Amino acid sequence: MESLIPVINKLQDVFNTVGSETIQLPQIVVVGNQSSGKSSVLEALVGHDFLPRGTGIVTRRPLVLQLVHVSKDNQRLAKEDGPSADVNEWAKFLHTKNKIYTDFGEVCKEIENETDRMSGTNKGICPEPIVLKVFSKKVVNLTLVDLPGLTKVPVGDQPPDIEQQIRELCVNYISNPNSVILAVTAANTDFATSEAIKLSRDYDPDGRRTLGVITKLDLMDAGTDAMDVLLGRVIPVKLGIIGVVNRSQQDINNKKDLQEALKDEASFLQKRYPSIASRNGTAFLGKTLNRLLMHHIRDCLPELKTRVNVLIAQFQSLLNSFGDPITDKSQLLLQIITRFASAYCSTIEGTARNIETSELCGGARICYIFHETFGRTLESVDPLGGLNTRDILTAIRNATGPRPALFVPEISFELLVKRQIRRLEEPSLRCVELVHEEMQRMIQHCGTQQEMLRFPKLHERIVDVVTNLLRQRLPPTNTMVENLVQVELAYINTKHPDFAEAHLVHRAMTGGAMNAEYEAQRVAQQQRNLLQEREEREKVGQVPLQTHFEQRRSHFTVEAADLDDNSSGSSYSNAEGKEIAVI
Ligand SMILES: Nc1nc2c(ncn2[C@@H]2O[C@H](COP(=O)(O)OP(=O)(O)OP(=O)(O)O)[C@@H](O)[C@H]2O)c(=O)[nH]1
Ligand SMILES: [Mg+2]
């Protein structure tokens, strides 16, 4: 089995790397008549003395022997499961939990004890398997199963249907398609009567996983040999028939060493079967099993290969998505940042390569926010909103102080106007907020998908930096908008053409001394000027504030008329009513 170790280890590494299930090697099951030498064959294959062997029924419970390869890399397993001292091989039973056996003689004793415990001491059998794990550097991960021998007549405490029971037990193991059957027959019995061969034929009719083993070649009657059997002339076995010589009962009693036994076996075969010596013996059996396992591994390879190829393709495309290797890091960094910056600018300018068609974005959206959202909000602001006659009257009275003024006090007008101008501040600040949101959103559109994939952290940093930058600019921008409103509040330019009309209103309301014809001319002239002025302003895109005054004029007149009814609650003189209307 030793040549398998490096192959399996390498393969298991590959399987681990590609994250698939590791190779499940077939389990090796021995079947055969009682005392045909099954345990002896298995033991020779493993290379350890640890199975109870002897005359009469010995193996009375299935023994599931799990060989576990431990390597230096496999420290975890060795530490958890292994003994503390420097021991290369050790064993553990399932039923003794964590007890560690380093003496294989003790293992043999424990198998006997455990067999007696469940099956009694008087030749009874029990289908419950004993599970033994052997940890070693010199084994591959493989499971071997030793079974009780097939028998005919009940002895001792055996039940009448013992033949049937053992048969079923064996069938249970050999019918598993993942098991290689070692059909053991002793050479001193007639091969044509071999129960092992018969049973395995029933469950492996193609003979693809049955290997014939002939034991006790040394015990054949004088004048007979197993030549015909071994050459497959009696009963052919597809995978072959291999003859072996195990240690006799005498050898076991004398504690004959396994290595010595192997040497003797080789010389026996050389002497008795020189022409086929190289194709028989325990060593050759081991090699053949090796080959069978290799074939099994080979069958697993196509699937592994496909998996590896799929993974290669996946990783290759991932690798390609990362782009060419980097030679100059700082140059690349600068390039990426520059590309991001220019992508950001072009999103604002509308010169970006991938122009969105589903929704407005970048500069176009900012334009929309200013002209549509903000513009509409401004237009919806009523210049006279929130002002009632009582406010105006109070403002006028407060401005005149102790003595009633002769003319409308302008200070009251300013007071009221400022209050109205201040109302523009809130929608302006909201406009700033919307623009900020859009500029923030634009960050996501810049930087290519490929770069984001390749340098996710860099991309995160860029987003961070730009977000912070935008956030930092928010308070100064708000302050600027607030300042603009403050500037407008600080000085009311009454010389502005918007106020030209106010003069007319004032005159009309206060009944100025000019004659009617002169007045009409003046009004006409004023209106021509205003019209011209407005056209010019509309050309440069300014919203004419005057529109509001025009729109409000009718409303304004009605309010002035209402004032005469004195219905607002507070009483005021006729003159005051006119002043309210003028303001
Ligand atoms: N001389 C000789 N004796 C053998 C050989 N193989 C096995 N034996 C002896 O045959 C007896 C039975 O061997 P086991 O290995 O216990 O046989 P088994 O098939 O496991 O027996 P059960 O488990 O009882 O069915 C033992 O005394 C072995 O020493 C062999 O090739 N030559
Ligand atoms: Mg046995």
Side-chain angles (χ1 to χ4, degrees), residues 35 37-40 54 56 58-59 216 218 246-249 252:
S35 294
K38 302 177 293 300
S39 299
S40 303
V58 177
T59 308
K216 306 191 184 183
D218 58 323
N246 293 315
R247 285 168 291 181
S248 66
Q249 190 57 48
I252 294 171

Side-chain angles (χ1 to χ4, degrees), residues 32-41 52-60 146-150 184 215-219 244-252:
N33 277 339
Q34 191 174 303
S35 294
S36 56
K38 302 177 293 300
S39 299
S40 303
V41 168
R53 290 147 299 155
T55 48
I57 183 160
V58 177
T59 308
R60 294 184 288 131
D146 190 14
L147 292 170
L150 298 161
V184 180
T215 56
K216 306 191 184 183
L217 287 179
D218 58 323
L219 292 187
V244 295
V245 180
N246 293 315
R247 285 168 291 181
S248 66
Q249 190 57 48
Q250 183 73 42
D251 296 335
I252 294 171

